[in-house]
Amino acid sequence: MGKGKKGGKRMNKKQLTEQLEQFFSTQPGKTFSFKEIFRSLKLNTHPLKMLAIDIMEEMAWDDYLVRVSDNSYKLNTEGQVFEGTFIRKTNGKNSIKPDEGDKPVFCSERNSLFALNGDHVKASLMARRSHHIREAQVIEIISHAKDQFVGRLRVDKDMAFLITPDNTFATDILIPKRKLKGGKTDDKAVVKITQWPDAEHKNLVGEVVDVLGKTGDNDVEMNTILAQYGLPYVYPKKVEEAADKITGKITKADEAEREDCRNTWTCTIDPKDAKDFDDALSIKKLDNGLYEVGVHIADVSHYVKEGDIIDKEAQKRATSIYLVDRTIPMLPERLCNFVCSLRPDEDKLAYSVIFNLDDQANVKAFRIVHTIIRSNRRFCYEEAQQLLEDNGVVDGTGEPAPPAPAGGYKGEYATEIITLDRLAKQLRKQRFKNGSVKFDREELHFDVDEKGHPTRCYFKRSKDANKLVEEFMLLANKTVAESVGKVKKGRKPKTLPYRIHDNPDPQKLETLRQFVVKLGYKFGSSSTKGATARSLNKLMDECGNKPEGKMIETVALRAMMKARYSVHNIGHFGLAFDYYTHFTSPIRRYPDTMVHRLLTKYQAGGRSANEKHYEMLCEHCSDMELVAQSAERDSIKYKMVEFMGDKVGNSYDAHISGITSYGIYAEIDENHCEGMVPMRDLDDDYYDFDERNFCLVGRRRHHRYQLGDPIRIKVAKANLERKQLDFAIDNGKADKKVDKDKVTEETTKAEKPAKPRRTRKTKKSSKSKD
């Protein structure tokens, strides 16, 4: 132990440690992967490599090295004091994430200086005790992440409090009664902090900014979710007034400078409850046998000028937000639902990408032009899908549709829709051939009554009608990106916001490979994008209809990076496009409006825009997209718990959808609602958490809970306050743990999750689902 061979000679731990110290000390600030270290030190044998990894882990423990990733290190050149972001945990295991990218450092509550989640702090590393993890203490709060919080009021005789559902604070926020703004016990309210804790006063003091309404009311709860993420729940009156002044009238000047497409057959295909139609498709057969297909996009930038009051509000919001029962629009209602919306039988201004396609959907020519269009028909997805099914063209193979029968296809405008569908299938077939990844995810939907209460919960999968629209939008986005980004060698392309998607995490791909091999599948993770995509697609095809298919797809998705916006193009891995942007939804996404403006400028001969300015806007839009997604997920969780509220005590067949060190997530097969079986309720054994194999394993009886396994559960608790469903394992016996009080809405501070006392991780690995 502790020795290895190098070049025929043995090297002990002390000698290798000295070599590693010299290697890192002579190259401060540089990060090295294992491969680079092995190559530089000529560590050619497996024992030497393993010894080097063990030594570097010890060096990182002693703060001599910094562990940058699971397979790379650099010399620690930082002092004892550093700045970072405070990460507060409900279980007290707080940490500080250094600005320089090192891994988080533990910070106990007594050393937190009352910092809140997201605060930017200055911290000092504490002297490390033997066999203890690194620990830091906050010495200064540089800036607070936010000063407004949302919760439930409790009004007592002399004082009022704000109780937050996520245990953000060690204590509740005190509110003087004169600062309640009429709020009463159990009202949801937005509170602004007026006094932060210090050495003398450890309490938070605040004042009510807005009373949202009574706890449990649907509108109040949805607005509460928005307020928790700092998202707007009302539209500014001045912005709406500015929008009301826009008539949408098409002038003679508009007609003179635009291509007139009003005589070409055009339609929109959208969800049945949509009002903001921001894209339309047109088609006609040309004399040369080609098809002219137009992708027409609402010309928002014609009405919303850069820097005006509407634009500033849209830029701040960056995206529309889609909660379960409502849309929080990026633009005022007059613009998104009336002036800009491509409504049928109305002349509308559009920005269009018009393609000439052959029978195999190869692009022979295209043009990007400002147009005037007139939609002939508004289809909802269900109508278009039914039309395709009625004519037997929904096999999804990409092969040409059968010839029209003697009497023609069945249904109004069937020929046009079927032709568009056939061309879209050819585009889709070619895209997958070129390496686009085949993830066909389901979307959770609810039917709600007039009071917003969910009456049905179900999943929807994309059908041919959805994919028809998707393919032409992808083609338009790709074409616009290429028109700006592809330039002659040696020339710099003009600034454009791209939608980029980085290659998957190599370590997570390796975890996926090891995992699926045990299930009998082959998966070759590769350094090339195309080979990785092909391996993923082959794996998805092989496991798609198998019981373990959903489990494998879940693990594969965890290896994927998140797509984001940037002016620095690296391509889009998931779509296998070298150039991709967002052009097709300017009513609901601000980056699309940015692209429209820049494209118009460049077509008029304008010079490239300020790259730094647009990169800042891209970062803002990426951040707001994530915030909006979090709010959307919370609204789904709330409706899920509300839907299950009267089903406490019922048993269901389910499957395990997530494994963590603190419990098992299970999704009910019947309605797709997800809840958790807390670890404290698995009292039949002591369970070890195997992160790499996504399972819990009992020590004594060796019972295994594996991701994807079928399981029988009983609904134990539905807590609306915390948006949390608790399940219990249904083993056919009476279960004392089932809460018969149905929906729990505590009037006291929300309970903290129990610490997982009977689990330990068997391997160090990346984070699991939480």
Side-chain angles (χ1 to χ4, degrees):
M1 294 292 291
K3 294 185 179 181
K5 284 188 176 183
K6 180 190 173 189
K9 297 179 181 179
R10 298 181 69 81
M11 184 167 22
N12 60 32
K13 184 175 180 179
K14 182 180 178 182
Q15 291 170 325
L16 185 51
T17 300
E18 289 173 353
Q19 285 205 21
L20 285 165
E21 286 176 350
Q22 184 179 5
F23 174 75
F24 281 105
S25 64
T26 56
Q27 301 176 85
K30 192 171 180 182
T31 300
F32 295 95
S33 68
F34 285 164
K35 285 185 179 180
E36 291 171 325
I37 296 165
F38 298 155
R39 193 185 310 115
S40 298
L41 298 183
K42 297 180 181 177
L43 306 180
N44 302 320
T45 66
H46 184 71
L48 270 178
K49 291 177 182 178
M50 293 301 99
L51 179 59
I53 290 173
D54 289 342
I55 293 170
M56 286 186 284
E57 192 169 322
E58 289 177 11
M59 287 177 163
W61 179 265
D62 293 331
D63 294 329
Y64 182 80
L65 297 181
V66 173
R67 187 177 184 179
V68 179
S69 70
D70 286 340
N71 60 359
S72 64
Y73 288 90
K74 69 176 182 179
L75 185 71
N76 185 4
T77 57
E78 299 297 320
Q80 292 294 106
V81 178
F82 66 95
E83 293 183 6
T85 302
F86 190 83
I87 303 168
R88 177 171 286 281
K89 297 285 188 179
T90 56
N91 59 9
K93 295 181 179 179
N94 309 321
S95 61
I96 303 167
K97 177 75 169 61
D99 291 341
E100 295 304 312
D102 194 5
K103 293 201 170 182
V105 183
F106 173 72
C107 178
S108 65
E109 186 61 39
R110 66 178 180 274
N111 294 318
S112 70
L113 209 62
F114 309 104
L116 302 180
N117 191 54
D119 286 355
H120 193 228
V121 302
K122 182 180 287 186
S124 174
L125 288 171
M126 301 172 70
R128 181 178 285 190
R129 294 174 290 166
S130 179
H131 305 298
H132 283 70
I133 60 173
R134 273 201 311 171
E135 191 171 349
Q137 62 179 350
V138 177
I139 57 177
E140 180 187 347
I141 298 175
I142 299 170
S143 62
H144 290 288
K146 61 179 183 176
D147 62 359
Q148 290 191 4
F149 299 89
V150 184
R152 180 167 44 84
L153 291 175
R154 192 183 84 208
V155 183
D156 293 342
K157 184 178 179 181
D158 301 316
M159 184 62 71
F161 306 87
L162 184 80
I163 302 166
T164 54
D166 53 359
N167 296 330
T168 307
F169 312 103
T171 60
D172 298 326
I173 301 172
L174 300 178
I175 307 168
K177 294 190 80 171
R178 68 182 184 278
K179 298 289 187 179
L180 274 173
K181 216 173 181 179
K184 297 180 178 61
T185 293
D186 280 343
D187 280 350
K188 290 289 178 73
V190 182
V191 169
K192 180 181 175 70
I193 302 298
T194 55
Q195 180 182 307
W196 297 94
D198 55 34
E200 294 182 16
H201 304 284
K202 296 184 179 180
N203 289 322
L204 284 155
V205 181
E207 63 181 19
V208 173
V209 174
D210 194 8
V211 178
L212 300 175
K214 277 291 178 189
T215 297
D217 178 85
N218 182 65
D219 287 341
V220 171
E221 295 297 343
M222 293 300 104
N223 287 340
T224 297
I225 289 170
L226 294 168
Q228 282 173 341
Y229 288 99
L231 296 169
Y233 47 92
V234 291
Y235 217 95
K237 192 173 181 181
K238 286 185 178 180
V239 181
E240 287 189 328
E241 288 172 351
D244 289 341
K245 295 175 183 176
I246 299 174
T247 65
K249 184 179 178 181
I250 297 175
T251 66
K252 293 290 183 183
D254 293 330
E255 292 180 340
E257 63 189 14
R258 290 172 179 265
E259 185 172 324
D260 193 339
C261 297
R262 286 174 285 190
N263 292 325
T264 301
W265 182 87
T266 305
C267 76
T268 59
I269 308 177
D270 291 279
K272 60 184 176 183
D273 56 351
K275 295 178 181 177
D276 54 342
F277 313 137
D278 54 9
D279 58 77
L281 294 171
S282 68
I283 187 168
K284 68 178 178 182
K285 190 78 176 279
L286 300 176
D287 293 338
N288 59 6
L290 298 178
Y291 294 98
E292 183 184 88
V293 176
V295 179
H296 307 284
I297 309 302
D299 196 355
V300 171
S301 61
H302 176 83
Y303 300 105
V304 181
K305 301 303 180 185
E306 191 168 7
D308 71 15
I309 188 172
I310 301 174
D311 180 59
K312 287 178 180 176
E313 182 67 22
Q315 184 184 115
K316 185 168 71 174
R317 294 175 178 236
T319 179
S320 292
I321 304 158
Y322 296 91
L323 304 186
V324 167
D325 65 340
R326 69 196 62 199
T327 299
I328 314 302
M330 182 182 77
L331 296 172
E333 184 182 0
R334 172 157 178 80
L335 285 179
C336 62
N337 290 353
F338 297 97
V339 174
C340 296
S341 184
L342 306 180
R343 308 197 310 169
D345 302 317
E346 295 180 12
D347 291 353
K348 294 290 180 179
L349 301 184
Y351 208 167
S352 307
V353 188
I354 301 174
F355 301 95
N356 289 356
L357 305 174
D358 63 16
D359 275 324
Q360 285 71 48
N362 295 309
V363 178
K364 297 300 182 182
F366 73 88
R367 60 189 187 278
I368 304 172
V369 288
H370 290 91
T371 59
I372 302 176
I373 69 164
R374 188 178 182 87
S375 173
N376 298 83
R377 174 74 147 81
R378 185 259 161 138
F379 286 95
C380 65
Y381 284 121
E382 290 80 2
E383 290 173 326
Q385 182 66 26
Q386 191 61 54
L387 188 150
L388 295 173
E389 291 178 6
D390 288 345
N391 288 280
V393 290
V394 291
D395 61 358
T397 62
E399 297 304 319
Y409 292 119
K410 290 184 286 184
E412 185 184 26
Y413 302 127
T415 299
E416 290 84 354
I417 294 294
I418 289 171
T419 305
L420 285 169
D421 176 66
R422 178 172 61 80
L423 294 170
K425 285 172 179 169
Q426 298 279 34
L427 289 169
R428 187 175 178 83
K429 184 178 179 181
Q430 187 62 40
R431 181 162 60 85
F432 288 139
K433 184 180 177 182
N434 291 339
S436 189
V437 182
K438 291 181 186 176
F439 283 125
D440 192 12
R441 297 296 287 168
E442 298 172 321
E443 287 186 7
L444 187 62
H445 287 259
F446 293 88
D447 289 340
V448 296
D449 61 21
E450 65 278 359
K451 293 183 179 179
H453 181 78
T455 57
R456 188 165 76 102
C457 178
Y458 58 97
F459 265 127
K460 268 188 177 180
R461 277 192 179 273
S462 286
K463 295 186 177 180
D464 283 30
N466 306 76
K467 294 172 183 177
L468 182 165
V469 176
E470 178 188 27
E471 286 306 321
F472 285 111
M473 297 306 121
L474 291 175
L475 180 63
N477 287 332
K478 174 189 172 189
T479 302
V480 167
E482 288 177 342
S483 73
V484 176
K486 284 179 100 171
V487 295
K488 292 180 181 177
K489 195 172 182 180
R491 296 189 64 180
K492 185 180 178 182
K494 293 178 178 177
T495 299
L496 190 77
Y498 294 95
R499 182 68 168 175
I500 62 172
H501 187 215
D502 209 347
N503 294 349
D505 185 315
Q507 185 181 353
K508 290 182 179 179
L509 282 180
E510 177 58 22
T511 299
L512 172 64
R513 188 193 68 77
Q514 293 175 7
F515 180 61
V516 299
V517 162
K518 294 170 186 173
L519 297 173
Y521 295 94
K522 288 183 179 180
F523 175 72
S525 54
S526 171
S527 57
T528 64
K529 288 195 285 188
T532 300
R534 283 191 291 273
S535 293
L536 279 169
N537 286 343
K538 185 179 179 184
L539 178 63
M540 293 301 106
D541 287 340
E542 289 176 351
C543 73
N545 296 319
K546 304 284 180 64
E548 64 272 16
K550 193 165 186 177
M551 168 179 62
I552 292 173
E553 186 175 5
T554 299
V555 178
L557 277 168
R558 290 179 185 174
M560 298 295 109
M561 297 295 191
K562 287 190 179 296
R564 57 191 175 89
Y565 298 104
S566 177
V567 297
H568 307 295
N569 183 42
I570 60 170
H572 196 292
F573 170 81
L575 295 172
F577 291 162
D578 291 330
Y579 301 88
Y580 188 65
T581 190
H582 273 169
F583 169 83
T584 53
S585 294
I587 286 178
R588 61 184 180 90
R589 294 187 305 226
Y590 194 74
D592 302 57
T593 303
M594 291 158 56
V595 169
H596 280 220
R597 287 177 180 150
L598 290 173
L599 208 56
T600 301
K601 175 183 178 178
Y602 298 154
Q603 287 180 332
R607 299 175 65 182
S608 184
N610 185 311
E611 187 178 276
K612 188 175 290 187
H613 170 71
Y614 276 93
E615 181 63 14
M616 285 176 60
L617 285 176
C618 284
E619 289 177 4
H620 168 69
C621 291
S622 297
D623 291 342
M624 291 306 295
E625 179 184 30
L626 293 176
V627 172
Q629 287 172 355
S630 296
E632 289 162 12
R633 279 195 295 269
D634 270 11
S635 81
I636 290 171
K637 286 180 188 175
Y638 185 89
K639 289 300 173 190
M640 200 182 284
V641 177
E642 188 180 7
F643 177 72
M644 297 299 294
D646 59 356
K647 299 169 181 63
V648 172
N650 292 1
S651 296
Y652 297 92
D653 289 326
H655 65 273
I656 296 175
S657 56
I659 298 281
T660 72
S661 61
Y662 49 85
I664 296 169
Y665 284 93
E667 184 182 288
I668 297 173
D669 297 335
E670 176 185 315
N671 55 34
H672 303 283
C673 289
E674 187 179 58
M676 189 182 75
V677 180
M679 190 60 63
R680 62 178 177 268
D681 290 347
L682 298 177
D683 52 9
D684 62 325
D685 205 342
Y686 186 108
Y687 284 89
D688 290 329
F689 176 35
D690 185 346
E691 260 185 307
R692 284 196 174 275
N693 293 304
F694 307 97
C695 63
L696 294 176
V697 183
R699 284 191 182 178
R700 296 192 302 275
R701 298 180 178 86
H702 306 294
H703 179 71
R704 179 184 293 258
Y705 288 105
Q706 175 76 59
L707 183 68
D709 279 355
I711 189 173
R712 183 78 177 170
I713 61 91
K714 184 178 289 187
V715 182
K717 184 188 287 187
N719 188 326
L720 273 173
E721 185 78 12
R722 299 182 63 193
K723 307 179 190 72
Q724 183 174 304
L725 273 178
D726 279 357
F727 293 159
I729 301 295
D730 185 1
N731 53 17
K733 300 175 184 177
D735 192 345
K736 296 182 293 183
K737 293 184 174 63
V738 174
D739 186 343
K740 297 296 183 181
D741 293 332
K742 298 189 177 180
V743 183
T744 305
E745 293 186 50
E746 290 98 342
T747 56
T748 57
K749 192 175 178 80
E751 62 183 337
K752 294 184 180 180
K755 294 180 181 178
R757 294 191 179 119
R758 297 187 309 284
T759 60
R760 66 176 176 83
K761 295 182 182 180
T762 56
K763 293 185 181 180
K764 291 182 180 179
S765 181
S766 56
K767 288 183 180 179
S768 62
K769 176 181 175 181
D770 55 23

